[in-house]
Amino acid sequence: MTAPDLTLEELPTWMRPRRRVIDWGLLVILGFCLVLSVPLLARPGLPQNTNAELYEYRSIEVTRIVQSGTLYSRWAPDLHYALGSPLFNYLAPLPHYLAGYYEALTDNGPINSIKLLLVVSILAAGSGMYLFARQRWGASAGTLAALAYLFSTPIAFALPYICGDLGLMLALGLLPWVVYALDNLWLFPRRRKVWSTAMLLILFILSDTQIAFLGGIVIIVAAISLRWRPEFPIRTFRNVLVVIGCALAITAFYWLPAIAERDQIQWIATGNDPQAGSVLLSEIFAPLPRYDLRMQNPPLPHAIGAGVGLLALIGGAALVIKAIRRDPTVRDGLLFLTIGLILVVIATPAFSSLWPSAASFQPLLPYHAILVATFCLAAVAGQAARWFKNSTQSVYWITALAVCITAAALPTVYPPEWPAPSHEPDMLASLGDELAGYHLGTFRSGILLSAGITKIPEPALGLLNSLQVNTFQRLNSRLYSPNMEVNTIEQGLLNRRYYLKVNQTVDIEYYTLNYPGWTASIDGNRQPLQSSAQGLIKVTVPQGASDLDLWLEGTPIRVLAWAITWISLSILILLRRQSSVLGSRISQTIPLVSTPNPSSSRLAVGVAVALILYAIAGLMLSQHPDLLFSRSSQGVISGTTTLPPDSTDHTVALSGYTLEKTTLQPGESLNGVFYWQAAAPLTNDYQSEIQLVDNQQVVAWTAHRQPGSVPTSRWLPDRYIRDSFSLMLPTTLKSGDYTLQAKINACEAKQLAPCNNPARIDTQQGSGFAESLTTIHVTAP
């Protein structure tokens, strides 16, 4: 209890009442976030042919699982043609479980669920970066850092609109909040800070595996950096380590089985991930792209953005000059600069050998390093405010920089359009897309199967219709004997009970992929499970009448993981209650930067001018996008492209192509981009092919199941498709001249991989063609 004779100034810092001041700077940053989110909020549906669709399907699956009575499942029973998938055991659960629970609790559809979380991610990114940088370096630094982070290429454009990756957006939105919370734990080591910090760190770990790994390194280094401050006692440092350790242990229910049971799955790559590949420095710091309005599928830019790079250069110069003058306050800023530059450098081709194969499951990619570097360099961008720290006109300088940042990011106000959805997606829509080869198990670049299975079994006959009328039978009726009696007693998504009566011992095949955790019992006695030739569950049923139960339960490692989670959660609760353990009333800490003051209010007014200008420009461009973006005419591709021979008599036309080079050596890749367009809507789905021909003999061939990752039935007649190819030449290829051909062929296979022997389209019906484009010169080394 405070002694009555002490004045306010004589009280320790942690005992002083905190002033309630409106942070106008934060409100302005939230205004920028909302303006950036306008396309998501105003347009119906979500960007088509992006990962947003996959998150919709995962959200639908989680909703069905939750509504069936299971709060958390590692199995998705409706995927892989209703054969099931173990993807929930290996994917970070926050994006799809957060969306699924919201959908289940509010009766909102998956579109609104994913859209809401994307908007929340943008709000979290801007507000979290502002609070973190303001707390460390002041309101001016917080404003510049938040704007640099918000208007970076990944957050403002690439991830929400081109990639549609909710997991990466959530991770980047939570990253600054975690660092801010850990700073707060240093500043105010109180019990309630422990819970808030731990919860934010838990959410971050569960948002995306790759960003959690790279971002976790940044978080730990940033937290330890405050040990340089002499006013922080060792006990406060211990609190930070305890919270980080507890958060890691609490999330063990996810990452421990995902690591320990990695050998229980296999990944069959069927295509290229658009995020894969090393990135040139010129591309990393390239400005936001001004795409062609007639391009239906703009490429994913692997860039941080010119605005972030330029402002980070200004901030980095300020840090270096202050460091030369032996200013001790720049050490943590230099730390962020160093980490950001390291992440940028290792993402370049010179360090490509450091990264795992892009064909592996959930690989760590150079693009992930670029995303985390965006956070680090945005923090460095805030250091540009050091140039104006003692200037009476600092508000005007910061406002001018804010206007420059937003002006450089004007392409974000009008992201590529997408068609409005014809209906709300559901489980049957997801299955229909699987049967059409758009995705398989909510993956587009590969198939996740149980170990030992080399090929996904064919879907059951009439699967879509039987599921629609709820008559789908998971017991394989083709293996029944004529006099076998089967009655379904109970059926759920993760459990089934049957009454069986057979005249002799028989093997029953169950339409579910065999995977650790599936268990069977006959009349209450557990039975060993086997795998059929297709990898499905097989149970031996004895002669006579019996009850067969099938259900999914835990494995020893999953039980251990949950035990670690609950024990760690109990420890965290105990630490919160034991104030003496945390030292919440011992440390008399001094804040790094004071709370908002009148000068920050004047700064907010100045930055609000940039917000108003950006909003006005956005309104104008939304009505007249041609003022900023190019729009090529029908049949013409903007940029430097090679025109193919005339093919205007076909419904599907090749309007142009570009090749990196036309002279190669055996073993090299022929890289190029082909531009397709349809003169009329297409009802069928075709695949695109590129091949090298020598005297009518194909010597090299590659194909895309969905040209440009967009099914041809979704092509818009007034748009064109960008189809990027990489054709590997055989190492045994002889020197000589070869003809490059491009084709559009039919492929009706229910798979992600293209057809090896597709049916040629009847060109008289105006649906396909093959062209000899150019000559490729192959020279022996």
Side-chain angles (χ1 to χ4, degrees), residues 236-440:
T236 307
F237 179 53
R238 185 187 66 185
N239 297 343
V240 173
L241 295 181
V242 167
V243 168
I244 293 176
C246 285
L248 285 172
I250 290 173
T251 55
F253 75 92
Y254 154 63
W255 57 261
L256 185 56
I259 295 174
E261 296 182 340
R262 193 80 173 204
D263 60 342
Q264 301 297 330
I265 58 170
Q266 63 175 336
W267 174 255
I268 303 175
T270 58
N272 296 325
D273 188 336
Q275 298 179 10
S278 301
V279 190
L280 298 174
L281 280 176
S282 58
E283 184 180 356
I284 293 176
F285 294 105
L288 278 163
R290 294 175 58 188
Y291 56 89
D292 186 350
L293 292 173
R294 286 197 58 250
M295 186 187 299
Q296 189 173 341
N297 60 333
L300 175 67
H302 295 72
I304 291 175
V308 181
L310 180 60
L311 208 58
L313 179 63
I314 298 174
L319 290 173
V320 172
I321 291 175
K322 295 286 185 179
I324 294 175
R325 296 175 181 173
R326 300 184 182 278
D327 185 346
T329 64
V330 301
R331 285 184 292 187
D332 49 353
L334 287 172
L335 186 63
F336 282 104
L337 177 61
T338 302
I339 297 175
L341 292 178
I342 291 174
L343 290 172
V344 166
V345 169
I346 64 175
T348 59
F351 293 87
S352 58
S353 59
L354 294 178
W355 302 95
S357 170
S360 58
F361 179 60
Q362 284 191 297
L364 194 63
L365 300 173
Y367 187 57
H368 297 133
I370 292 174
L371 295 179
V372 178
T374 302
F375 166 77
C376 297
L377 295 183
V380 175
Q383 307 302 311
R386 290 180 180 270
W387 290 106
F388 323 112
K389 189 173 184 180
N390 299 321
S391 173
T392 57
Q393 298 180 341
S394 60
V395 171
Y396 302 106
W397 284 109
I398 300 298
T399 302
L401 287 177
V403 172
C404 292
I405 294 173
T406 54
L410 275 181
T412 62
V413 301
Y414 195 81
E417 292 181 335
W418 58 84
S422 58
H423 61 277
E424 190 78 27
D426 55 14
M427 184 270 290
L428 294 177
S430 175
L431 177 59
D433 281 353
E434 282 192 331
L435 294 173
Y438 298 168
H439 75 95
L440 194 53

Side-chain angles (χ1 to χ4, degrees), residues 71-273:
L71 299 181
Y72 185 82
S73 173
R74 303 177 189 276
W75 186 259
D78 298 317
L79 303 182
H80 286 159
Y81 315 133
L83 299 177
S85 170
L87 84 163
F88 289 155
N89 194 39
Y90 301 94
L91 296 183
L94 183 66
H96 42 270
Y97 265 90
L98 203 57
Y101 265 94
Y102 176 80
E103 185 181 345
L105 295 175
T106 64
D107 286 335
N108 265 293
I111 293 178
N112 288 336
S113 300
I114 303 301
K115 182 179 294 189
L116 174 64
L117 291 179
L118 286 172
V119 173
V120 168
S121 300
I122 295 174
L123 291 169
S127 59
M129 178 58 82
Y130 173 80
L131 292 173
F132 158 64
R134 189 209 70 191
Q135 183 166 254
R136 283 214 179 193
W137 305 298
S140 298
T143 300
L144 291 179
L147 290 177
Y149 196 48
L150 265 181
F151 288 99
S152 64
T153 300
I155 292 178
F157 184 77
L159 293 182
Y161 298 112
I162 304 300
C163 187
D165 200 311
L166 176 60
L168 294 178
M169 282 295 295
L170 281 173
L172 294 181
L174 287 167
L175 179 54
W177 275 99
V178 172
V179 183
Y180 167 69
L182 287 171
D183 282 0
N184 247 333
L185 192 60
W186 277 102
L187 300 173
F188 309 103
R190 298 172 183 173
R191 288 177 290 178
R192 61 185 178 88
K193 300 293 183 183
V194 172
W195 267 95
S196 60
T197 304
M199 289 306 300
L200 285 169
L201 190 51
I202 289 169
L203 292 176
F204 174 72
I205 295 172
L206 299 179
S207 59
D208 184 85
T209 305
Q210 292 88 343
I211 300 298
F213 175 76
L214 291 174
I217 298 174
V218 175
I219 289 171
I220 293 174
V221 174
I224 294 176
S225 70
L226 292 186
R227 280 289 295 126
W228 294 331
R229 307 265 179 156
E231 61 266 25
F232 297 120
I234 188 64
R235 181 172 294 181
T236 307
F237 179 53
R238 185 187 66 185
N239 297 343
V240 173
L241 295 181
V242 167
V243 168
I244 293 176
C246 285
L248 285 172
I250 290 173
T251 55
F253 75 92
Y254 154 63
W255 57 261
L256 185 56
I259 295 174
E261 296 182 340
R262 193 80 173 204
D263 60 342
Q264 301 297 330
I265 58 170
Q266 63 175 336
W267 174 255
I268 303 175
T270 58
N272 296 325
D273 188 336

Side-chain angles (χ1 to χ4, degrees), residues 346-616:
I346 64 175
T348 59
F351 293 87
S352 58
S353 59
L354 294 178
W355 302 95
S357 170
S360 58
F361 179 60
Q362 284 191 297
L364 194 63
L365 300 173
Y367 187 57
H368 297 133
I370 292 174
L371 295 179
V372 178
T374 302
F375 166 77
C376 297
L377 295 183
V380 175
Q383 307 302 311
R386 290 180 180 270
W387 290 106
F388 323 112
K389 189 173 184 180
N390 299 321
S391 173
T392 57
Q393 298 180 341
S394 60
V395 171
Y396 302 106
W397 284 109
I398 300 298
T399 302
L401 287 177
V403 172
C404 292
I405 294 173
T406 54
L410 275 181
T412 62
V413 301
Y414 195 81
E417 292 181 335
W418 58 84
S422 58
H423 61 277
E424 190 78 27
D426 55 14
M427 184 270 290
L428 294 177
S430 175
L431 177 59
D433 281 353
E434 282 192 331
L435 294 173
Y438 298 168
H439 75 95
L440 194 53
T442 70
F443 294 104
R444 285 199 176 101
S445 58
I447 308 172
L448 182 66
L449 296 174
S450 304
I453 305 176
T454 58
K455 182 182 178 182
I456 189 74
E458 290 292 324
L461 296 176
L463 175 63
L464 195 59
N465 291 332
S466 62
L467 284 172
Q468 192 168 5
V469 297
N470 201 24
T471 60
F472 176 58
Q473 176 59 269
R474 286 191 177 272
L475 290 182
N476 190 348
S477 59
R478 291 177 297 178
L479 300 180
Y480 293 175
S481 58
N483 53 1
M484 180 177 177
E485 181 180 349
V486 178
N487 293 316
T488 302
I489 301 175
E490 178 184 357
Q491 57 180 0
L493 292 179
L494 301 173
N495 64 289
R496 294 290 173 102
R497 169 172 289 187
Y498 302 93
Y499 171 79
L500 304 177
K501 188 175 182 180
V502 296
N503 294 332
Q504 59 183 5
T505 300
V506 63
D507 288 336
I508 297 295
E509 189 178 63
Y510 188 66
Y511 273 128
T512 296
L513 296 177
N514 197 3
Y515 182 71
W518 279 107
T519 308
S521 71
I522 296 179
D523 293 331
N525 300 315
R526 295 201 174 205
Q527 302 294 317
L529 289 183
Q530 307 172 53
S531 292
S532 67
Q534 294 182 303
L536 304 178
I537 292 176
K538 186 171 69 173
V539 184
T540 301
V541 178
Q543 180 181 359
S546 57
D547 289 334
L548 170 63
D549 288 273
L550 287 162
W551 72 96
L552 185 71
E553 64 179 13
T555 61
I557 194 66
R558 297 173 200 168
V559 174
L560 174 62
W562 277 114
I564 294 174
T565 293
W566 289 114
I567 292 173
S568 304
L569 187 60
S570 301
I571 293 174
L572 189 62
I573 294 173
L574 177 64
L575 291 178
R576 185 182 185 276
R577 292 187 175 185
Q578 298 295 324
S579 59
S580 60
V581 175
L582 292 172
S584 62
R585 293 193 176 273
I586 295 178
S587 304
Q588 299 182 16
T589 58
I590 302 173
L592 297 174
V593 175
S594 60
T595 53
N597 50 56
S599 64
S600 63
S601 300
R602 291 194 297 270
L603 175 64
V605 172
V607 178
V609 174
L611 172 60
I612 294 172
L613 294 176
Y614 180 76
I616 293 174

